[in-house]
Amino acid sequence: MIDKKNITGMILSGGKSSRMGTDKGFLSFNGKSFMQHSIDALNPLVTDIIIVSNNKDYDVFGLKRIEDDIENAGPLAGIYSGLKQSKTDYNLVLSCDIPLISSTILQKLIDAIDEDSEIIQIESHGKTMPLIALYKKQCERTFLKLLNEGERRLQYAVNQCLVKNIILNDNEAYFTKNINTPEALKDITI
Ligand SMILES: Nc1nc2c(ncn2[C@@H]2O[C@H](COP(=O)(O)OP(=O)(O)OP(=O)(O)O)[C@@H](O)[C@H]2O)c(=O)[nH]1
């Protein structure tokens, strides 16, 4: 049984937000920013939350913010930067564009911890979601090697580690919806 004191929460908020056209973490849903939704889902499960972003505006959330070690290299580099600075073996990593996310879904990742898995990720509607996932700190080494080789694909990097998928049913899948476009935001708002 793992103690929640051994888990760091990490929220990635870099990238271009090119499909949305505006920084996704500051978008509002149900009276709260997308970033705050990720923070609130993590809070009961972890003792510490880190925001991985080069944008100083995120300091408004009063959390530790770290910058990408390798710039413009996408979420793989963001996770690498977070793991490098993490002091805990287990790290719950979220993106900032999943405003429906809940602690109940994240608890499933924690409940699935076993001796072998290095990464435990959500699988929703047949799609694996490495940005709703638990990473062991030791993945840092594999990720750095891949980044140094020029690799940028997060799912490829995840598959180089020992990974377990937690398959959600259709009702649960709703809570993992990615909001990448203004149309997707409109869909959940109506
Ligand atoms: N720290 C960090 N986070 C990133 C980086 N690129 C993407 N992210 C985050 O990873 C998550 C998924 O990002 P995507 O939706 O794939 O990419 P995006 O750049 O946000 O958006 P698009 O330009 O529309 O693809 C979001 O939470 C982003 O904030 C990066 O280079 N560094």
Side-chain angles (χ1 to χ4, degrees), residues 14-31:
K16 298 191 176 67
S17 280
S18 52
R19 285 166 288 174
M20 187 59 84
T22 175
D23 201 327
K24 287 183 280 190
F26 289 107
L27 288 172
S28 179
F29 172 68
N30 268 354

Side-chain angles (χ1 to χ4, degrees), residues 11-21 23-25 51-54 58 66-68 70-79 81 94-98 131 154 178-181:
I11 305 169
L12 298 198
S13 202
K16 298 191 176 67
S17 280
S18 52
R19 285 166 288 174
M20 187 59 84
D23 201 327
K24 287 183 280 190
I51 293 176
V52 187
S53 178
N54 290 6
Y58 282 107
I66 64 163
E67 305 215 336
D68 285 348
I70 309 167
E71 272 191 62
N72 301 318
L76 174 58
I79 296 175
S81 306
L94 297 185
S95 58
C96 67
D97 54 9
I98 44 170
L131 292 176
L154 175 56
N178 260 124
I179 307 302
N180 282 312
T181 62

